[in-house]
């Protein structure tokens, strides 16, 4: 697909009647192409059906979240761009504790250390990633000795996931660039879109001990912030009657995290009452993949999480009694091949 384009298709009517003994003659037909993106489209997801026919796309090179709404149904040929948001500079609501902290660096995946980009796209990626570092309050990182580390699209992550619960309105979890954080964005017809919560795995800085007085000639070591790794996948779990939300993330650091998000009293309130704000805590943090995460996804009830990584394995995670999340099994390519060979092996027959 050409850079900056999103295609929307639907199955068309084939010629002739189909029967049970004949394959279907229906074909997918292109209905429209959305060309607003100024770079590579990295994630596309339809909103839950109760919000109507909407589509959102996060753009890799410009960090823009775009929301489209279909104006003609069922032909789905005319779409209107209803929102265009710069996720990195999106205004946040809530207390400073709900805002992201500074980050310093990002690493590329081991399988993408030598990838390159076209000149135009590479320029946009560099600008977006540099803006990411500037807005986080850190200097642009210097070239690293590790191959692939730097301002390239392969170093970043762009992903989105809608909230599945109708009660809380239009909420989207999204991650852009190399910051390593996830923002929960609220869309409302009565106010501008805002980030109501930020999921940041970086531990808070240790408080300084004022009772310790360094010697006058001793060098003062400056505490450096830990490196950040881009979030490559985010998945909002179906609530299924829970009073809280579960959001899973996977990143280039090889870690799968599960966040428990507690809703506030009212999304539309503008005061600074802490009791009315959304809060979140990481309830699980796994590093069994030992390599970059490609995808995280929930089952239909939001009780089992699956993840894939560059280690070539699909891993499952499930909560035990006491809401403690633990590994629930995994499968790799070698296991699938062994199972297939066992099923096709000839059985020795005694004559």
């Amino acid at each position: 697909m050409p850079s900056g384009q999103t295609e929307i298709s639907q199955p068309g009517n084939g010629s002739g009647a189909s029967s049970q003994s004949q394959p279907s003659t229906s074909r997918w037909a292109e209905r429209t192409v959305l060309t607003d993106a100024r770079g590579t489209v990295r994630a596309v997801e339809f909103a839950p059906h109760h919000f109507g026919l909407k589509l959102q796309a996060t753009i890799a090179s410009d960090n823009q979240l775009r929301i489209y709404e279909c104006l003609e149904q069922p032909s789905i040929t005319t779409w209107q761009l209803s929102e265009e948001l710069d996720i990195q500079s999106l205004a946040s609501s809530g207390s400073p504790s709900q805002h992201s902290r500074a980050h310093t660096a990002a690493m590329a995946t081991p399988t993408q250390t030598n990838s390159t980009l076209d000149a135009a796209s590479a320029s946009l990626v560099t600008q977006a990633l540099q803006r990411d570092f500037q807005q986080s309050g850190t200097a642009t990182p210097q070239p690293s000795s590790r191959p692939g580390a730097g301002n390239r699209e392969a170093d970043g992550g762009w992903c989105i996931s809608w909230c599945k619960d109708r009660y809380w309105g239009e909420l989207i979890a999204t991650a852009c660039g190399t910051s390593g954080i996830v923002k929960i964005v609220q869309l409302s017809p009565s106010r501008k879109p805002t980030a109501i919560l930020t999921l940041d795995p970086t531990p808070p800085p240790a408080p300084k001990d004022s009772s310790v007085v360094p010697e006058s000639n001793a060098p003062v070591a400056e505490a450096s912030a830990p490196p950040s790794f881009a979030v490559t996948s985010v998945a909002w779990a179906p609530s299924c009657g829970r009073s809280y939300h579960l959001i899973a993330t996977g990143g280039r650091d090889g870690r799968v995290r599960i966040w428990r998000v507690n809703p506030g009293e009212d999304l539309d309130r503008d005061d600074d009452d802490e009791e009315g704000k959304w809060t979140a805590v990481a309830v699980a943090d796994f590093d069994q993949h030992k390599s970059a995460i490609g995808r995280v996804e929930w089952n239909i009830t939001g009780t089992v999480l699956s993840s894939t990584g560059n280690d070539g394995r699909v891993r499952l995670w499930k909560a035990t009694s006491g809401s403690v999340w633990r590994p629930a099994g995994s499968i790799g390519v070698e296991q699938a091949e062994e199972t297939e060979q066992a099923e096709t092996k000839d059985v020795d027959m005694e004559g």
Side-chain angles (χ1 to χ4, degrees):
M1 182 184 300
S3 176
Q5 293 187 0
T6 303
E7 296 182 359
I8 299 178
S9 306
Q10 70 174 172
N13 295 325
S15 59
S18 61
S19 63
Q20 294 181 353
S21 60
Q22 296 178 351
S24 174
T25 58
S26 63
R27 296 291 184 270
W28 285 86
E30 180 183 290
R31 294 304 183 186
T32 190
V33 178
L34 309 176
T35 60
D36 301 282
R38 296 185 295 274
T40 307
V41 179
R42 295 296 299 269
V44 176
E45 182 176 317
F46 280 98
H49 64 89
H50 42 257
F51 293 138
L53 192 54
K54 293 185 179 181
L55 175 146
Q56 66 170 359
T58 300
I59 311 306
S61 61
D62 58 5
N63 293 335
Q64 298 288 321
L65 174 67
R66 294 178 173 88
I67 308 296
Y68 295 90
E69 187 168 0
C70 184
L71 301 181
E72 294 184 6
Q73 301 183 33
S75 64
I76 64 172
T77 56
T78 304
W79 292 74
Q80 177 181 346
L81 178 62
S82 58
E83 296 286 353
E84 187 172 19
L85 313 174
D86 187 339
I87 296 302
Q88 298 295 346
S89 60
L90 184 63
S92 299
S93 63
S95 63
S97 62
Q98 294 173 300
H99 295 174
S100 61
R101 292 182 290 273
H103 300 275
T104 57
M107 307 301 291
T109 62
T111 58
Q112 295 176 316
T113 55
N114 297 321
S115 61
T116 59
L117 301 172
D118 296 336
S121 298
S123 176
L124 290 173
V125 171
T126 301
Q127 294 175 11
L129 294 180
Q130 288 178 344
R131 185 170 66 250
D132 180 8
F133 285 109
Q134 292 173 357
Q135 291 177 352
S136 63
T138 60
T140 302
Q142 298 299 322
S144 172
S145 58
R146 175 179 174 178
N151 294 335
R152 300 182 300 112
E153 184 171 349
D155 303 320
W158 293 263
C159 48
I160 51 179
S161 183
W162 285 89
C163 174
K164 311 302 187 293
D165 195 340
R166 182 176 186 175
Y167 176 80
W168 300 105
E170 298 181 3
L171 296 174
I172 304 172
T174 178
C176 294
T178 60
S179 64
I181 64 174
V182 174
K183 290 186 178 182
I184 298 180
V185 181
Q186 176 198 12
L187 303 175
S188 173
S190 60
R191 58 189 299 181
K192 293 182 179 180
T194 56
I196 62 172
L197 186 63
T198 298
L199 308 181
D200 187 352
T202 307
K208 296 182 179 180
D209 189 355
S210 58
S211 61
V212 178
V213 180
E215 298 180 4
S216 57
N217 297 329
V220 178
E222 295 183 359
S224 59
S228 63
F229 295 86
V231 175
T232 54
S233 182
V234 60
W236 200 311
S239 62
C240 292
R242 287 186 294 263
S243 60
Y244 57 89
H245 300 275
L246 291 175
I247 298 178
T249 64
R252 296 196 182 278
D253 57 355
R255 309 192 77 91
V256 175
R257 295 181 175 91
I258 300 176
W259 298 81
R260 173 172 171 155
V261 178
N262 297 311
E265 295 180 0
D266 188 357
L267 284 174
D268 293 327
R269 61 190 302 168
D270 295 326
D271 55 31
D272 295 329
D273 184 8
E274 293 297 323
E275 296 182 357
K277 303 302 181 181
W278 286 49
T279 60
V281 60
V283 295
D285 189 339
F286 302 106
D287 64 348
Q288 279 84 338
H289 279 287
K290 305 298 182 182
S291 60
I293 305 301
R295 183 74 179 268
V296 292
E297 190 61 61
W298 294 95
N299 67 340
I300 194 172
T301 57
T303 55
V304 179
L305 176 69
S306 62
S307 62
T308 62
N310 284 0
D311 59 346
R313 304 192 70 83
V314 177
R315 300 183 183 273
L316 301 179
W317 319 93
K318 184 177 176 63
T320 60
S321 58
S323 299
V324 178
W325 287 87
R326 299 187 184 279
S330 66
I331 186 173
V333 177
E334 68 282 356
Q335 289 178 275
E337 291 177 349
E338 292 175 0
T339 303
E340 183 178 355
Q341 291 175 0
E343 292 176 351
T344 59
K345 184 178 180 180
D346 294 336
V347 179
D348 294 335
M349 303 293 291
E350 297 182 358

